[in-house]
Amino acid sequence: MNNLPKNIKPDLHRVASFNHKMSWGVKDKPRFFELMSEVVKLVAPGFYFSDNLFTWCRNNSLFDDAAFQKSWNENLKNDSDATIAWRRYILACAAYHCVQLQGDFVECGVYWGTGIKTVTDYLGGTAFAKTFWGYDTFDYHPVEGHASFSDQQEGFFEQVQERFENYEQVKLIKGLIPDSFVNNCPKEIAYLHIDLNSAKYEIATLDVLFDLVVSGGVIILDDYEWAGVYRTQKIAEDEWFDKRNYRVIPLPTGQGLVLKR
Ligand SMILES: C[S@@+](CC[C@H](N)C(=O)[O-])C[C@H]1O[C@@H](n2cnc3c(N)ncnc32)[C@H](O)[C@@H]1O
């Protein structure tokens, strides 16, 4: 494949830092951010403070990848999208690998489509080489376990569709998972991003789609390593993968990564 983004050799003596003041699970936010603005002054360059992740003396590779910077910046829809920069780069790097395999791309839990758009734009935009399936209700379904999002009002689906107007390879499937897989399912999957904020529906997704993932394909579980309300997902997913002799690789971003044999 010759249209893959190329790495540009970074400056040996300059590393980027990132300080995006949005974190979850914090009691007194003004106090917390006041203290953290002092703390970041005490660490070596190359710090990343965002999305409940504080690291320093890191290369922060996502900020050296010009193609990623472009696709990430151009697709920001809200503050949370900016916050989860490192999570987005995990998706982009996984996609870089998977676009060279046999099989389609799938995202379960699309919301505004920013995850799909960032990945497709990183890898060619409207010339993206794969079919990308995106599954979501695109509105609130009052069923047990479905996480609601306030901006999913009337007309929301049409707005998301508009973002992909010129992307013929992106198929947005509206409906409740797993029913929406019936009649609308790829034969083989190279890249599977599951982001439903629900143990019940993420397991239902794995039940249907895992066997379709090709050998060498990648599965990313967006909330796997998050505790709090998300911990039910890790517990259910560990049990599910254990039965199949797979280990989820927990990432410091809060995601979980599975490499399909
Ligand atoms: C966290 S958002 C997805 C964010 C998106 N992956 C991104 O990268 O920006 C979760 C989405 O999952 C959808 N969802 C949750 N359970 C679902 C189900 N059973 N069927 C279809 N969509 C579902 C919600 O409607 C919501 O849009």
Side-chain angles (χ1 to χ4, degrees), residues 69-165:
Q69 281 304 299
K70 188 168 186 304
S71 68
W72 173 61
N73 271 305
E74 286 180 354
N75 287 306
L76 297 176
K77 196 78 187 160
N78 52 44
D79 215 22
S80 306
D81 286 332
T83 306
I84 64 172
W86 201 327
R87 277 199 249 181
R88 295 289 190 216
Y89 197 51
I90 299 285
L91 298 184
C93 293
Y96 184 102
H97 167 80
C98 294
V99 80
Q100 298 170 76
L101 303 177
Q102 200 170 302
D104 294 346
F105 276 46
V106 175
E107 183 173 84
C108 296
V110 172
Y111 193 35
W112 276 106
T114 305
I116 297 181
K117 192 94 181 0
T118 305
V119 162
T120 47
D121 286 351
Y122 180 59
L123 297 168
T126 52
F128 180 65
K130 293 283 189 185
T131 299
F132 206 139
W133 302 73
Y135 298 87
D136 203 299
T137 53
F138 295 103
D139 58 14
Y140 176 55
H141 270 49
V143 292
E144 188 208 334
H146 182 258
S148 68
F149 289 82
S150 58
D151 38 10
Q152 290 180 328
Q153 304 293 334
E154 212 185 315
F156 179 76
F157 181 49
E158 289 70 23
Q159 287 181 66
V160 181
Q161 280 180 313
E162 254 174 54
R163 288 187 91 184
F164 294 101
E165 218 174 359

Side-chain angles (χ1 to χ4, degrees), residues 217-236:
V218 175
I219 299 147
I220 302 122
L221 306 162
D222 185 66
D223 303 308
Y224 172 84
E225 193 54 11
W226 282 81
V229 293
Y230 301 101
R231 193 160 158 74
T232 51
Q233 293 175 52
K234 178 227 162 36
I235 291 171

Side-chain angles (χ1 to χ4, degrees), residues 1-248:
M1 275 196 156
N2 47 17
N3 59 353
L4 292 172
K6 292 283 170 232
N7 265 331
I8 299 162
K9 195 174 173 181
D11 182 338
L12 178 63
H13 303 290
R14 200 198 66 84
V15 284
S17 287
F18 185 62
N19 188 357
H20 196 267
K21 295 194 180 85
M22 188 167 170
S23 289
W24 291 273
V26 173
K27 275 186 197 143
D28 180 345
K29 285 196 178 182
R31 175 93 177 114
F32 175 70
F33 289 120
E34 184 189 301
L35 290 172
M36 286 307 295
S37 62
E38 288 301 311
V39 170
V40 296
K41 291 179 195 157
L42 303 176
V43 298
F47 72 81
Y48 183 99
F49 172 50
S50 188
D51 196 16
N52 292 24
L53 188 64
F54 178 42
T55 63
W56 61 96
C57 213
R58 295 292 165 89
N59 285 318
N60 281 336
S61 301
L62 67 159
F63 300 108
D64 283 330
D65 187 329
F68 174 73
Q69 281 304 299
K70 188 168 186 304
S71 68
W72 173 61
N73 271 305
E74 286 180 354
N75 287 306
L76 297 176
K77 196 78 187 160
N78 52 44
D79 215 22
S80 306
D81 286 332
T83 306
I84 64 172
W86 201 327
R87 277 199 249 181
R88 295 289 190 216
Y89 197 51
I90 299 285
L91 298 184
C93 293
Y96 184 102
H97 167 80
C98 294
V99 80
Q100 298 170 76
L101 303 177
Q102 200 170 302
D104 294 346
F105 276 46
V106 175
E107 183 173 84
C108 296
V110 172
Y111 193 35
W112 276 106
T114 305
I116 297 181
K117 192 94 181 0
T118 305
V119 162
T120 47
D121 286 351
Y122 180 59
L123 297 168
T126 52
F128 180 65
K130 293 283 189 185
T131 299
F132 206 139
W133 302 73
Y135 298 87
D136 203 299
T137 53
F138 295 103
D139 58 14
Y140 176 55
H141 270 49
V143 292
E144 188 208 334
H146 182 258
S148 68
F149 289 82
S150 58
D151 38 10
Q152 290 180 328
Q153 304 293 334
E154 212 185 315
F156 179 76
F157 181 49
E158 289 70 23
Q159 287 181 66
V160 181
Q161 280 180 313
E162 254 174 54
R163 288 187 91 184
F164 294 101
E165 218 174 359
N166 301 314
Y167 294 70
E168 281 177 10
Q169 58 285 74
V170 176
K171 291 175 183 287
L172 300 177
I173 312 294
K174 185 171 176 359
L176 192 71
I177 289 170
D179 302 349
S180 54
F181 295 139
V182 180
N183 302 327
N184 276 308
C185 203
K187 290 198 166 45
E188 286 182 311
I189 300 171
Y191 167 103
L192 175 59
H193 180 214
I194 308 180
D195 187 8
L196 297 170
N197 293 16
S198 153
K200 174 181 165 183
Y201 292 119
E202 296 209 355
I203 293 296
T205 298
L206 288 168
D207 282 341
V208 180
L209 300 186
F210 182 75
D211 287 343
L212 306 180
V213 179
V214 299
S215 173
V218 175
I219 299 147
I220 302 122
L221 306 162
D222 185 66
D223 303 308
Y224 172 84
E225 193 54 11
W226 282 81
V229 293
Y230 301 101
R231 193 160 158 74
T232 51
Q233 293 175 52
K234 178 227 162 36
I235 291 171
E237 283 156 1
D238 277 352
E239 195 183 333
W240 195 94
F241 280 107
D242 234 40
K243 284 187 191 140
R244 292 154 182 88
N245 294 342
Y246 274 90
R247 265 284 176 277
V248 181

